[in-house]
């Protein structure tokens, strides 16, 4: 389960020989699976009889399991996020303020999507939405303002906008460096995103833009971060985790190796071979939210945002409503 990422040159066979290891079980997401995939290839190249089975555990839900099957831990994290998220929504409603929430999810928006859709938030922004345009801070902030103004048109003076932290991982570095945010930097000169609250960044940029527009609207940041990772598992994940653990033994007894243990909707255990998913570098690409699915489109279509029919009413608050048209921002029209 180590988060350490060894180079191929770090691999040694001595440990496996000394302790007569027969089965390597790795537990984690795409990074852990990718590292283990390289290690297994190395061990096999040295003619060692060591099987490898990977257990899909990540709250990001971004391993390529079939039929939307979740990684274990995802539903627990989502449940905790919804618990906090509903409290935030009630605070917004009773205080007539806006909240800007950021949720974990390194490269995929599953967690943000799950929380925002369950809490019925007015706005949700995940990296998969930007399939036809580059991600910029201006677009993100304009999408939030689109929701705020749409609500005001309808007489609603509160709301919550949730943004997945994954947008940073698809954003060009120059965009981050030129944001006006004071980052710390690593030894290679890259901004250390892990040291800052993403919700504070989005909320700060939102407040700057609202003041430019002359809109007197209060917003507050809320970070859904590490507190989602180590809470007590819900019953679904307890059952799934147990099933996958027993499934590892079943797969090992069958002589299967180099795979992810998976359970389908019937509860049947099956191996998913890592070689079928790996890219040219041997890495396991993350599973993203299918933005074109009915589920995604239905939720997105029911968010609050400015459409062409709202332009005239929006002129009371915005000098150029078209610039805040949600689907035009995403280049979906």
């Amino acid at each position: 389960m180590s988060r350490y990422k060894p180079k191929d040159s770090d691999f040694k066979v001595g440990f496996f020989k000394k302790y007569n290891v027969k089965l390597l079980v790795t537990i984690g997401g795409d990074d852990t699976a990718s590292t283990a995939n390289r290690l297994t290839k190395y061990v096999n190249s040295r003619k060692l009889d060591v099987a490898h089975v990977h257990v899909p555990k990540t709250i990001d839900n971004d391993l390529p399991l079939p039929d939307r099957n979740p990684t274990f831990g995802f539903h627990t994290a989502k449940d905790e996020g919804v618990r906090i998220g509903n409290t935030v929504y009630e605070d917004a409603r009773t205080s007539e303020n806006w909240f800007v929430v950021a949720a974990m999810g390194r490269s995929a928006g599953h967690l943000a999507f799950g929380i925002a859709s369950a809490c019925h938030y007015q706005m949700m922004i995940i990296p998969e939405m930007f399939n036809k345009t580059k991600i910029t801070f201006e677009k993100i902030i304009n999408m939030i303002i689109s929701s705020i103004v749409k609500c005001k048109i309808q007489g609603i003076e509160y709301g919550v906008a949730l943004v997945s932290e994954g947008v940073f991982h698809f954003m060009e570095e120059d965009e981050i460096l030129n944001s006006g945010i004071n980052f710390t930097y690593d030894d290679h000169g890259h901004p250390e995103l892990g040291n800052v609250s993403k919700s504070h960044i989005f909320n700060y940029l939102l407040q700057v833009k609202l003041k430019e527009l002359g809109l007197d609207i209060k917003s507050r940041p809320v970070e859904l971060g590490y507190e989602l990772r180590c809470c007590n598992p819900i019953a679904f994940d307890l059952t799934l985790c147990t099933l996958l653990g027993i499934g590892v033994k079943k797969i090992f007894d069958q002589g299967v190796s180099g795979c992810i243990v998976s359970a389908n909707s019937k509860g049947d255990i099956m191996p998913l071979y890592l070689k079928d998913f790996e890219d040219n570098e041997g890495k396991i690409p993350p599973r993203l939210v299918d933005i074109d699915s009915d589920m995604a489109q239905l939720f997105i279509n029911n968010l609050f945002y400015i459409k062409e029919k709202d332009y005239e009413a929006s002129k009371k608050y915005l000098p150029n409503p078209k610039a805040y048209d949600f689907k035009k921002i995403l280049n979906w029209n």
Side-chain angles (χ1 to χ4, degrees):
M1 295 189 298
S2 172
R3 300 184 70 83
Y4 174 64
K5 297 179 184 178
K7 304 182 184 70
D8 287 356
S9 59
D10 294 326
F11 294 154
K12 300 289 186 294
V13 297
F15 174 86
F16 295 92
K17 288 181 175 179
K18 180 179 178 180
Y19 294 100
N20 194 29
V21 175
K22 295 299 180 185
L23 171 64
L24 172 65
V25 181
T26 53
I27 305 170
D30 57 311
D31 261 1
T32 307
S34 297
T35 300
N37 193 30
R38 290 189 293 114
L39 177 57
T40 301
K41 290 177 180 178
Y42 170 83
V43 169
N44 290 342
S45 72
R46 297 302 189 271
K47 302 292 190 289
L48 291 184
D49 182 23
V50 180
H52 169 229
V53 180
H54 181 73
V55 182
K57 190 268 172 264
T58 166
I59 68 170
D60 290 351
N61 198 34
D62 60 357
L63 275 167
L65 307 181
D67 195 28
R68 293 187 66 248
N69 286 344
T71 55
F72 88 77
F74 167 68
H75 278 298
T76 293
K78 185 178 77 170
D79 192 69
E80 181 69 5
V82 169
R83 185 187 67 79
I84 299 169
N86 279 331
T87 301
V88 171
Y89 192 100
E90 185 63 11
D91 193 334
R93 187 185 69 82
T94 55
S95 63
E96 291 200 328
N97 286 324
W98 273 79
F99 282 83
V100 179
V101 179
M104 294 189 85
R106 189 184 63 218
S107 56
H110 297 285
L111 195 54
F113 182 93
I115 295 169
S117 58
C119 292
H120 299 173
Y121 284 166
Q122 285 84 349
M123 176 51 59
M124 168 192 72
I125 301 172
I126 59 176
E128 290 89 339
M129 286 177 169
F130 297 84
N131 56 345
K132 295 183 178 179
T133 188
K134 287 197 310 182
I135 301 179
T136 67
F137 284 118
E138 181 182 23
K139 290 172 185 173
I140 292 169
I141 299 308
N142 283 1
M143 289 162 75
I144 298 174
I145 291 174
S146 179
S147 188
I148 291 172
V149 171
K150 176 71 173 203
C151 286
K152 285 186 78 68
I153 291 171
Q154 297 188 352
I156 302 168
E157 298 293 341
Y158 64 89
V160 182
L162 188 148
V163 187
S164 169
E165 70 167 9
V167 296
F168 278 95
H169 297 275
F170 291 91
M171 198 179 280
E172 293 180 359
E173 191 163 283
D174 283 348
E175 177 71 16
I176 297 173
L177 295 174
N178 296 326
S179 65
I181 303 298
N182 188 19
F183 291 101
T184 57
Y185 298 88
D186 63 20
D187 294 338
H188 303 284
H190 302 304
E192 295 177 308
L193 296 174
N195 287 345
V196 294
S197 163
K198 313 305 185 297
S199 61
H200 282 74
I201 291 175
F202 297 129
N203 188 66
Y204 165 75
L205 295 174
L206 173 63
Q207 280 297 314
V208 169
K209 189 64 176 284
L210 288 172
K211 283 179 172 57
E212 287 177 4
L213 293 169
L215 293 175
D216 184 18
I217 295 167
K218 291 182 179 179
S219 62
R220 299 288 183 265
V222 174
E223 193 81 5
L224 296 179
Y226 295 108
E227 61 271 22
L228 304 186
R229 301 204 307 181
C230 292
C231 42
N232 287 332
I234 61 173
F236 177 91
D237 275 327
L238 286 170
T239 302
L240 177 59
C241 180
T242 303
L243 178 61
L244 294 178
I246 297 170
V248 169
K249 178 65 165 57
K250 175 185 177 181
I251 287 175
F252 177 63
D253 288 344
Q254 292 174 339
V256 177
S257 179
C259 65
I260 298 173
V261 59
S262 177
N264 65 18
S265 56
K266 297 178 181 178
D268 298 325
I269 290 294
M270 63 184 69
L272 304 172
Y273 293 96
L274 291 167
K275 62 182 175 59
D276 294 334
F277 300 107
E278 66 181 17
D279 60 19
N280 294 333
E281 298 178 354
K283 295 181 179 179
I284 311 302
R287 172 178 63 180
L288 303 179
V289 173
D290 182 359
I291 206 67
D292 295 318
S293 68
D294 263 1
M295 181 177 181
Q297 286 299 313
L298 285 169
F299 276 115
I300 290 169
N301 287 335
N302 281 280
L303 295 172
F304 284 69
Y305 50 78
I306 292 173
K307 303 175 183 177
E308 195 166 338
K309 66 180 182 179
D310 302 309
Y311 287 1
E312 195 59 37
S314 300
K315 287 179 181 177
K316 179 180 177 182
Y317 309 102
L318 303 170
N320 180 19
K322 185 177 180 180
Y324 300 87
D325 185 319
F326 178 85
K327 292 196 174 180
K328 282 185 169 35
I329 293 170
L330 294 173
N331 203 25
W332 282 3
N333 286 338

